[in-house]
Amino acid sequence: MKLTRGDFRPSYDVVIIGGGGHGMATAYYLAKRFGITNVAVLERSYIGSGGTGRNTTVLRANYKTPETIRFYQESFQLYATLQEELDYHMLRSERGLFWLAHSEPQLRNQRERALQNQHFGVNTVYLDARQVHEVCPQIDMTGGGKRPVLGAAYHPPGSIIRHDAVVWGYAGAAQRLGVQVLEGIEVTGLTIQGGKCVGVVTDRGPIAAGAVLSAVGGYVTNIADMAGIRLPIVSHPLQAFVTESYLPVLDHIVASADLHIYVSQSARGEVLIGAEIDPYSSYSTRSTFPFLASAAARAIDLFPFVAKLRVLRQWTGICDMTPDYSPLIGRSEVDRLFISSGWGTWGFKAIPVSGLRMAELIATGTVPPVLAPFALDRFRRDRAVPERASAGTH
Amino acid sequence: MPLLIPCPTCGVRPYGEFWCSGELPDGGHGGSDDAEADFERVWLKRNVAGLQTERWFHHAGCRRWVTVRRDTLTNVIDAQL
């Protein structure tokens, strides 16, 4: 796919800062569903270079609160037909996702989660240890002899999809509709007049805009600072690694709530291992050995065969974490400045719904009901959407 | 190399022995009579890309609080406060 090169126009209806999945999806839906094609997506690096290209590609809808289940259910449905809609192959593959419990409290938590999901029409079932073993015999049910598996919430639709292809697919489709995708342009300021955002300042000159969207992830605080807005966001590193390719032995995605680890195997045969965020805030994407050692040990507790595999690659992304582990998306205090952030460790699977509903908000000026619970001012109104238990790892 | 935290009682120790409570708000962690100031202190973050003053609790050591200044872009700690 070839991106637009060369000059940008002096003015756009909508300027989107950040060429990741969320920015690109918003641009696509603005053009496709709302007929707004005079749109620019500005990316300071290359598209998909942030969280979109660094996540572990899991799609699921098995959250805990009604608001979040509804939100991710819509996203999951949009993802189901995305390859056809964008005419781009994304290697989507349905795997089935376990959330293992190794303790009584976690067992209750996973049982509650299955019931809550079923109530809202999400396919999640509770499995006892014997059933877990039947569905996925690869799991060491003794948990490395230390943490026996007692049961699990099992979400059969849980899938993986090629993350780069998602952003490329959206970018290509948006460009065909007239959107400009511009790489190598950094936004250095926002133009605000009388409490209204009317453009951006870039390292290649100013650009006027009818509306500005920050679709920036880990660095969203930098953009908010330009408008004098303070957000309830702290940026934390999130690391993951893959092993060398191995025989195809693991169909499922297996997460453990007690071990704070998840494991899947890619189409290339690499065993992918992820865990929780680093316990301190940072913008450094340098991977660390303590993470590798600790995550590898926990992965081997679940899958002993992993012990003989060599590590191929380890990487880090920067996550914009919110206090309640839910997104922060909607209008800001500045008129015509919209913010799509707080994507933390749960952003990739939200790309289609976030893009579609943010486009609706920008185009119509009305907050879509599915976005309303995640408004920027919810902490001021004491309306947190607590998802720590279900969004904490991936 | 893990992130190393200088502890005034135990010396330089790996971060795994500590619990990080994050950036130190202006005027410290204490409450006030001003609801707006309390809201901002509890919820809104400076989340600096650069030098940040922050607190660590040495739970696996002397069980004391440590205040340090760390560059969040490089993780280099240049001052113990």
Side-chain angles (χ1 to χ4, degrees), chain A residues 221 231 235 281-283 380, chain B residues 36 43 45 47 70 72 75:
Chain A
T221 303
L231 300 173
S235 298
S281 72
S282 181
Y283 290 92
R380 191 176 289 278
Chain B
E36 180 61 26
W43 295 107
K45 305 294 176 186
N47 196 28
R70 177 172 61 98
T72 59
N75 290 335

Side-chain angles (χ1 to χ4, degrees), chain B residues 30-38 41:
Chain B
S32 72
D33 293 333
D34 181 351
E36 180 61 26
D38 282 354
R41 189 186 61 252

Side-chain angles (χ1 to χ4, degrees), chain A residues 218-222 225 230-235 278-286 288-291 323-324 377 379-382 384, chain B residues 1-3 15 18-20 22-23 25-26 36 39-50 52 54 56 70-75:
Chain A
Y219 280 86
V220 63
T221 303
N222 284 16
D225 282 347
R230 273 175 78 185
L231 300 173
I233 281 179
V234 181
S235 298
D278 286 353
Y280 50 87
S281 72
S282 181
Y283 290 92
S284 168
T285 51
R286 176 173 290 192
T288 68
F289 185 75
F291 170 83
D324 57 358
D377 65 349
F379 299 102
R380 191 176 289 278
R381 291 182 283 111
D382 204 12
Chain B
M1 190 68 161
L3 177 57
Y15 75 87
F18 296 79
W19 174 66
C20 184
E23 70 186 48
D26 289 338
E36 180 61 26
F39 169 78
E40 289 182 8
R41 189 186 61 252
V42 170
W43 295 107
L44 304 184
K45 305 294 176 186
R46 212 170 281 103
N47 196 28
V48 173
Q52 168 168 289
E54 60 189 15
W56 293 76
R70 177 172 61 98
D71 188 335
T72 59
L73 292 164
T74 61
N75 290 335

Side-chain angles (χ1 to χ4, degrees), chain A residues 10-317:
Chain A
S11 158
Y12 294 90
D13 292 336
V14 182
V15 165
I16 296 172
I17 309 168
H22 290 275
M24 218 60 85
T26 309
Y28 167 75
Y29 290 115
L30 275 170
K32 180 74 179 179
R33 302 276 182 106
F34 301 97
I36 300 174
T37 58
N38 186 23
V39 176
V41 180
L42 311 181
E43 168 55 50
R44 72 172 173 180
S45 180
Y46 59 91
I47 65 169
S49 54
T52 302
R54 294 167 192 260
N55 64 77
T56 49
T57 76
V58 174
L59 305 183
R60 61 183 175 90
N62 59 339
Y63 282 78
K64 278 295 282 285
T65 63
E67 296 87 341
T68 317
I69 292 172
R70 211 177 294 129
F71 182 77
Y72 281 97
Q73 223 172 354
E74 183 173 333
S75 207
F76 197 85
Q77 285 156 4
L78 287 163
Y79 258 128
T81 55
L82 197 60
Q83 301 183 106
E84 292 74 18
E85 176 168 357
L86 302 180
D87 191 23
Y88 202 87
H89 190 40
M90 299 174 184
L91 299 167
R92 185 175 187 277
S93 114
E94 198 169 292
R95 299 297 192 91
L97 186 150
F98 286 94
W99 218 288
L100 304 178
H102 308 250
S103 66
E104 287 292 337
Q106 201 49 251
L107 201 62
R108 283 195 291 276
N109 187 24
Q110 297 308 330
R111 198 194 297 261
E112 179 197 339
R113 178 185 206 160
L115 292 172
Q116 177 87 332
N117 280 195
Q118 285 164 21
H119 180 74
F120 287 98
V122 173
N123 181 6
T124 305
V125 292
Y126 171 76
L127 301 183
D128 64 25
R130 187 183 48 82
Q131 292 167 314
V132 170
H133 179 65
E134 272 169 21
V135 180
C136 188
Q138 295 92 329
I139 299 172
D140 177 355
M141 297 302 287
T142 72
K146 290 173 271 188
R147 302 295 296 273
V149 176
L150 303 182
Y154 181 55
H155 182 51
S159 304
I160 58 176
I161 191 166
R162 176 104 186 109
H163 49 5
D164 301 313
V166 171
V167 70
W168 296 335
Y170 272 120
Q175 277 196 159
R176 288 196 291 278
L177 294 167
V179 170
Q180 278 195 307
V181 179
L182 299 154
E183 293 182 316
I185 298 189
E186 183 165 357
V187 171
T188 56
L190 298 170
T191 313
I192 295 168
Q193 288 171 1
K196 184 177 176 184
C197 190
V198 296
V200 298
V201 182
T202 74
D203 55 359
R204 285 166 56 186
I207 304 174
V212 174
L213 166 67
S214 166
V216 175
Y219 280 86
V220 63
T221 303
N222 284 16
I223 303 293
D225 282 347
M226 295 171 191
I229 296 170
R230 273 175 78 185
L231 300 173
I233 281 179
V234 181
S235 298
H236 280 262
L238 177 66
Q239 305 187 48
F241 68 98
V242 290
T243 69
E244 61 187 335
S245 289
Y246 189 59
L247 299 168
V249 290
L250 182 62
D251 283 338
H252 298 92
I253 306 159
V254 180
S256 163
D258 285 304
L259 300 180
H260 302 287
I261 190 86
Y262 60 99
V263 181
S264 66
Q265 189 173 23
S266 76
R268 286 188 292 226
E270 298 160 349
V271 178
L272 191 163
I273 295 161
E276 74 283 4
I277 55 168
D278 286 353
Y280 50 87
S281 72
S282 181
Y283 290 92
S284 168
T285 51
R286 176 173 290 192
S287 299
T288 68
F289 185 75
F291 170 83
L292 183 64
S294 136
R298 288 175 279 158
I300 291 166
D301 283 346
L302 287 182
F303 296 103
F305 77 90
V306 172
K308 64 184 173 189
L309 302 181
R310 284 169 294 189
V311 176
L312 181 66
R313 189 168 72 250
Q314 184 185 0
W315 68 95
T316 304

